[in-house]
Amino acid sequence: MAQSKRYLFPADYMADPSVHVFGGKLYIYPSHDWDSAAPDDDFGSEYDMKDYHVLSIEGPDPMTSPVKDHGNALDIKDVPWAGRQLWDNDVAYKDGKYYMYFPAKDKTDIFRIGVAIADKPEGPYIPLPKPMDGSYSIDVCVFEEDGKHYLYFGGIWGGQLQRYKDNKAVDTGSTYPADDEPAIPARVVRLRDDMLEFAEEPRPVVLLDENGKPITVADNARRFFEASWLHKYNGKYYFSYSTGDTHCLCYAIGDNPYGPFTYKGKILTPVVGWTTHHSIVEYGGKWWLFHHDSVPSKGINRLRSLKVCELHYNEDGTIRTIEGTDE
Ligand code: FUB
């Protein structure tokens, strides 16, 4: 059955929605696309974003309630260490403050993860003067449970995750494993109580197939590429992600925030546009998938538009696959 969807913010191009409920209201933290002249290449240079806006849903129904743009919440010119490319961010709340985690290339073109702090969910966010110690790569997601915050991150190819092994940059510049080896994993790390640094060494997010074997590099229909998200449903932990060059959003289920996670299936089949990215949130007694596509820009990869639709679970806890091209 076709799933009805809504374009959330036709007034501007935005992508990579991270969505949370703060104080009973649903806030969207997207990337802010624009028509940069940067080249379209395998490094993702065309995603040349310079600022973030925060949006909120002003009512009970993401499919119909008005969407408010709270304006510029963080600008790259105010981030002392950043060079270019503000990619997917996420926000967490603790003790009266909101913490935005965001990847950007530093002045030597290496992706690092920064923190910016606000008094309100919509910002403005004030960046710290340096990125988090030991941080690397892209696409952050924060999951909170029992007062502990877990940061998921990473993305291969332009996201530079292949440049790291055991959390250290490799001399050779990259560590793509052989086709029959386990694929490069996303990372998860608990944040320190002050939310400003890692509390531990990042760990691999291990994805297993139905036989309990790690998903391999060759299995690019199922292996992790970028765009981590973590949510909890009926006591289980759902790690979801993009498969990148095979253009699906997939998910795997585990028993705790660190995993391992066992692959279960597709959440979303390919959309119009190269990238696919999402978040999953419960709001108003229903579950929602927020994502993006490039239909309104007629397929221009760098100009993406935010979309939402309802997400449905089967009785066994699996997720019903949604067609990326459903309108
Ligand atoms: O928006 C830039 C990058 O494109 C994101 O970080 C990836 O997840 C992909 O959506």
Side-chain angles (χ1 to χ4, degrees):
M1 196 178 69
Q3 175 78 54
S4 75
K5 296 185 185 160
R6 174 193 188 187
Y7 281 107
L8 280 161
F9 196 60
D12 205 349
Y13 293 111
M14 298 196 188
D16 307 331
S18 297
V19 176
H20 292 281
V21 179
F22 292 129
K25 190 185 269 197
L26 211 150
Y27 288 89
I28 307 169
Y29 298 95
S31 305
H32 189 188
D33 287 357
W34 67 289
D35 202 5
S36 159
D40 190 338
D41 56 26
D42 280 352
F43 304 110
S45 302
E46 71 271 33
Y47 304 108
D48 191 22
M49 295 83 101
K50 301 177 293 188
D51 64 13
Y52 295 121
H53 282 223
V54 176
L55 308 179
S56 60
I57 305 272
E58 299 293 302
D61 185 355
M63 293 297 287
T64 56
S65 297
V67 175
K68 181 171 176 180
D69 176 8
H70 295 270
N72 190 331
L74 179 68
D75 200 297
I76 198 162
K77 70 174 166 31
D78 299 322
V79 183
W81 57 269
R84 60 182 179 133
Q85 294 183 297
L86 285 183
W87 284 13
D88 158 64
N89 74 91
D90 198 9
V91 167
Y93 170 80
K94 186 171 181 186
D95 297 340
K97 298 275 184 206
Y98 296 84
Y99 297 85
M100 176 182 278
Y101 300 89
F102 62 97
K105 281 184 180 159
D106 67 12
K107 299 198 193 294
T108 67
D109 251 9
I110 302 295
F111 270 115
R112 306 291 307 275
I113 298 169
V115 188
I117 305 171
D119 294 326
K120 295 181 292 186
E122 65 269 33
Y125 283 85
I126 310 298
L128 297 188
K130 64 175 192 57
M132 299 170 89
D133 289 338
S135 67
Y136 55 92
S137 199
I138 60 161
D139 281 5
V140 290
C141 150
V142 192
F143 172 75
E144 185 271 333
E145 186 167 56
D146 299 333
K148 295 192 176 76
H149 291 82
Y150 302 86
L151 184 79
Y152 297 79
F153 66 93
I156 61 173
W157 292 22
Q160 302 181 343
L161 189 58
Q162 68 280 1
R163 297 187 182 191
Y164 298 84
K165 191 163 171 48
D166 300 329
N167 300 317
K168 304 252 176 331
V170 292
D171 297 339
T172 50
S174 86
T175 57
Y176 283 115
D179 274 4
D180 59 351
E181 288 186 47
I184 296 173
R187 311 289 203 263
V188 52
V189 62
R190 192 165 58 75
L191 294 172
R192 227 166 54 184
D193 284 348
D194 67 5
M195 303 290 277
L196 304 183
E197 297 287 352
F198 297 168
E200 58 187 359
E201 283 282 298
R203 310 179 193 192
V205 176
V206 174
L207 297 182
L208 303 175
D209 68 12
E210 60 284 4
N211 300 312
K213 298 257 170 24
I215 289 182
T216 60
V217 170
D219 191 355
N220 69 340
R222 300 193 295 177
R223 64 94 169 83
F224 172 79
F225 188 99
E226 64 185 5
S228 299
W229 190 256
L230 199 284
H231 75 280
K232 194 173 177 186
Y233 176 78
N234 271 354
K236 295 283 186 193
Y237 299 80
Y238 288 62
F239 176 77
S240 45
Y241 58 97
S242 165
T243 61
D245 55 342
T246 49
H247 312 289
C248 286
L249 293 175
C250 292
Y251 72 105
I253 297 181
D255 292 325
N256 68 77
Y258 288 116
F261 300 90
T262 301
Y263 181 86
K264 290 294 174 186
K266 285 180 189 163
I267 297 171
L268 187 71
T269 62
V271 297
V272 172
W274 202 95
T275 67
T276 186
H277 194 122
H278 71 302
S279 55
I280 294 170
V281 68
E282 187 179 20
Y283 182 68
K286 293 179 176 174
W287 285 88
W288 303 96
L289 175 73
F290 288 78
H291 69 102
H292 68 233
D293 70 22
S294 295
V295 171
S297 70
K298 303 198 167 36
I300 298 174
N301 288 333
R302 77 187 73 202
L303 296 178
R304 301 163 294 178
S305 294
L306 297 175
K307 244 174 156 176
V308 65
C309 65
E310 198 177 341
L311 180 100
H312 297 278
Y313 296 88
N314 298 309
E315 278 195 3
D316 63 0
T318 54
I319 291 174
R320 267 194 248 160
T321 305
I322 297 164
E323 289 300 320
T325 49
D326 280 352
E327 289 301 307

